[in-house]
């Protein structure tokens, strides 16, 4: 396992981290067995992963409870990240939200506490003052943000310090490459990437849009003709499955899995501190850990990148997966 310094902090996080969302079931994920989830977390720890990601609103706090149970005997050896929801960014609400997370995690400090989504109706100065207070009290070690575009990040950094920006990033979802990636690099804010496997698509298990269940096809990669889709865009399904077939051919040629290629590619990009994988069972985690063993020359990675350049261009610079450009939830804080 590689370890990387998070932003300017003294936290050394594993390059691969584990997200505790899909393994608590619900929403897009379906039922989950707690024994399997605990075994997956144990396997991650044994494989060198020291960085675990949760949020107050994952499965109504169940994700934090599970992570608290899984880490109670090794609290000082792990780095726990949690998130305060957008509706709790007013000063008192944020302090209360943090207390709730601490209780559910069964700990007296959170290593990295993110603002989960921007909320332009609450002044950033108020949110940052609450985070600073929590830091002074030792209840959080460092602050972070998530889903902050380059303008919002700039405004936030005028009011305080964050060490990480958690963003959607994968070979199929490259919107952050337009602006926010460079701005994170310039400010020494680490990018922690979520959905690096596009909820399993980049493992090669679906070979056509029909294989993807509707509840995982509501984002802008998919046509708005799909059930439950609200973004109104045309999607990039055809280009996407062509790229996936091309990637599979390259992987077969190199003797690696698509999971390995997708994660290794993401890990190699600018300003990326850690890639947060979602795994529901130990076997999936094993396959993700194998990504660290892959070494390919730069020309090979350039070939991989080229496969999705067209998709990046079609989808444009809006990192919001679910909302069209004019309703993006990114970069909405007033001047
Ligand atoms: N900040 C935010 O707004 C935000 C948003 C989303 C997620 N997150 C965080 O990021 C984490 C990761 O996101 P994600 O869960 O979307 O990541 P992901 O790694 O793209 O997708 C995870 C899913 O892919 C499938 N999968 C993983 N490995 C596999 C394998 N080897 N073979 C086949 N299928 C495999 C599994 O789903 P199945 O087995 O069910 O198919 C798994 O649950 C979350 O847990 C959460 O902590 C943050």
């Amino acid at each position: 396992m590689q370890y990387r310094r998070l932003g300017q902090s003294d936290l050394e996080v594993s390059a691969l981290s584990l997200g505790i969302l899909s393994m608590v079931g619900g929403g897009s994920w379906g039922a989950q067995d707690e024994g399997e989830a605990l075994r997956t977390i144990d396997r991650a720890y044994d494989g060198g992963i020291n960085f675990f990601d949760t949020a107050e609103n994952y499965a109504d706090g169940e994700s934090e409870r599970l992570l608290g149970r899984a880490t109670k005997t090794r609290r000082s050896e792990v780095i726990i990240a949690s998130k305060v929801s957008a509706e709790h960014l007013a000063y008192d609400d944020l302090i209360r939200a943090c207390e709730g997370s601490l209780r559910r995690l069964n700990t007296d400090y959170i290593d990295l506490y993110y603002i989960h989504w921007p909320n332009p109706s609450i002044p950033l100065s108020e949110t940052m003052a609450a985070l600073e207070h929590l830091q002074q009290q030792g209840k959080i070690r460092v602050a972070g943000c998530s889903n902050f575009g380059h303008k919002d990040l700039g405004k936030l950094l005028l009011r305080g310090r964050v060490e990480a920006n958690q963003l959607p990033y994968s070979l199929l979802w490259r919107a952050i490459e337009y602006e926010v990636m460079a701005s994170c690099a310039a400010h020494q804010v680490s990018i922690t990437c979520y959905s690096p496997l596009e909820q399993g698509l980049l493992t090669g298990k679906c070979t056509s849009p029909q294989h993807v269940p509707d509840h995982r096809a509501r984002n802008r990669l998919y046509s708005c003709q799909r059930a439950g889709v609200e973004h109104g865009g045309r999607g990039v399904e055809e280009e996407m499955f062509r790229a996936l077939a091309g990637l599979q051919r390259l992987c077969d040629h190199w003797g690696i899995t698509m999971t390995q290629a997708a994660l290794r590619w993401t890990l190699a990009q600018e300003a990326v501190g850690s890639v947060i994988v979602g795994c529901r069972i130990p076997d999936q985690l094993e396959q993700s850990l194998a990504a660290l063993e892959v070494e390919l020359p730069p020309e090979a990675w350039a070939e991989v990148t080229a496969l999705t350049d067209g998709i990046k261009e079609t989808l444009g610079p809006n990192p919001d997966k679910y909302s069209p450009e004019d309703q993006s939830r990114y970069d909405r804080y007033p001047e």
Side-chain angles (χ1 to χ4, degrees):
M1 179 60 66
Q2 285 171 24
Y3 297 88
R4 298 174 177 183
R5 187 168 172 219
L6 195 80
Q8 297 172 343
S9 77
D10 57 3
L11 299 181
E12 292 279 336
V13 299
S14 47
L16 271 189
S17 41
L18 181 63
I20 316 293
L21 173 57
S22 57
M23 69 174 70
V24 284
S28 316
W29 304 104
Q32 174 70 3
D33 170 69
E34 173 162 336
E36 285 283 57
L38 290 170
R39 276 191 290 283
T40 306
I41 297 172
D42 280 350
R43 178 65 196 98
Y45 181 76
D46 293 342
I49 290 180
N50 70 353
F51 191 25
F52 297 89
D53 187 77
T54 180
E56 61 166 332
N57 70 356
Y58 290 171
D60 270 338
E62 197 41 51
S63 167
E64 290 182 324
R65 285 187 203 97
L66 175 75
L67 187 58
R69 286 196 287 279
T71 54
K72 70 170 185 278
T73 56
R74 45 173 90 114
R75 177 64 190 94
S76 60
E77 293 149 52
V78 294
I79 295 175
I80 292 182
S82 192
K83 312 185 196 77
V84 54
S85 303
E87 65 273 23
H88 295 152
L89 300 188
Y91 192 95
D92 291 341
D93 292 340
L94 194 150
I95 304 288
R96 249 193 314 274
C98 183
E99 300 290 355
S101 288
L102 288 169
R103 248 190 331 273
R104 287 186 293 275
L105 284 161
N106 196 17
T107 183
D108 49 10
Y109 67 97
I110 293 168
D111 300 274
L112 167 61
Y113 196 45
Y114 294 104
I115 302 169
H116 202 152
W117 275 90
N119 180 347
S121 62
I122 296 166
L124 266 174
S125 49
E126 180 172 339
T127 303
M128 291 311 286
L131 289 172
E132 199 184 318
H133 178 69
L134 289 170
Q135 211 168 353
Q136 279 161 2
Q137 287 186 312
K139 292 184 175 166
I140 67 171
R141 286 176 74 190
V142 302
C145 60
S146 174
N147 299 304
F148 271 56
H150 79 294
K151 291 186 196 151
D152 282 349
L153 181 66
K155 289 172 189 162
L156 181 150
L157 289 170
L158 292 174
R159 291 158 179 96
R161 177 73 199 158
V162 289
E163 304 300 350
N165 190 5
Q166 188 175 125
L167 295 160
Y169 190 47
S170 76
L171 243 181
L172 293 170
W173 196 266
R174 294 170 49 195
I176 66 168
E177 289 178 8
Y178 283 90
E179 291 164 328
V180 66
M181 188 173 248
S183 121
C184 289
H187 294 293
Q188 288 181 280
V189 171
S190 294
I191 295 175
T192 49
C193 312
Y194 71 76
S195 300
L197 295 173
E198 277 312 321
Q199 300 192 337
L201 203 55
L202 281 162
T203 64
K205 66 180 167 188
C206 298
T207 50
S208 84
Q210 290 71 41
H211 289 149
V212 182
D214 283 339
H215 60 266
R216 290 198 191 171
R218 297 197 178 114
N219 61 56
R220 291 194 292 120
L221 291 171
Y222 300 90
S223 151
C224 63
Q225 307 298 324
R226 295 284 297 240
V229 172
E230 290 175 0
H231 57 69
R234 73 160 183 88
V236 290
E237 283 144 313
E238 209 183 308
E239 301 91 314
M240 177 162 75
F241 281 92
R242 206 179 314 122
L244 286 169
L247 181 59
Q248 189 62 67
R249 275 193 297 277
L250 288 177
C251 290
D252 292 345
H253 176 66
W254 294 324
I256 61 174
T257 65
M258 194 188 288
T259 306
Q260 285 178 301
L263 295 177
R264 200 75 184 91
W265 177 90
T266 312
L267 271 167
Q269 307 307 311
E270 187 188 9
V272 168
S274 190
V275 171
I276 313 168
V277 290
C279 297
R280 304 197 322 143
I281 50 174
D283 183 51
Q284 290 180 345
L285 187 89
E286 213 67 69
Q287 293 177 34
S288 293
L289 284 170
L292 297 161
E293 294 158 15
V294 173
E295 290 301 338
L296 291 174
E299 315 82 77
W301 291 119
E303 257 187 280
V304 171
T305 308
L307 287 170
T308 60
D309 281 347
I311 294 174
K312 172 183 164 184
E313 200 175 318
T314 306
L315 292 170
N318 170 21
D320 193 332
K321 291 185 135 174
Y322 296 91
S323 312
E325 191 75 52
D326 60 344
Q327 290 157 39
S328 174
R329 290 165 291 172
Y330 281 65
D331 289 333
R332 285 286 203 241
Y333 277 103
E335 290 309 321

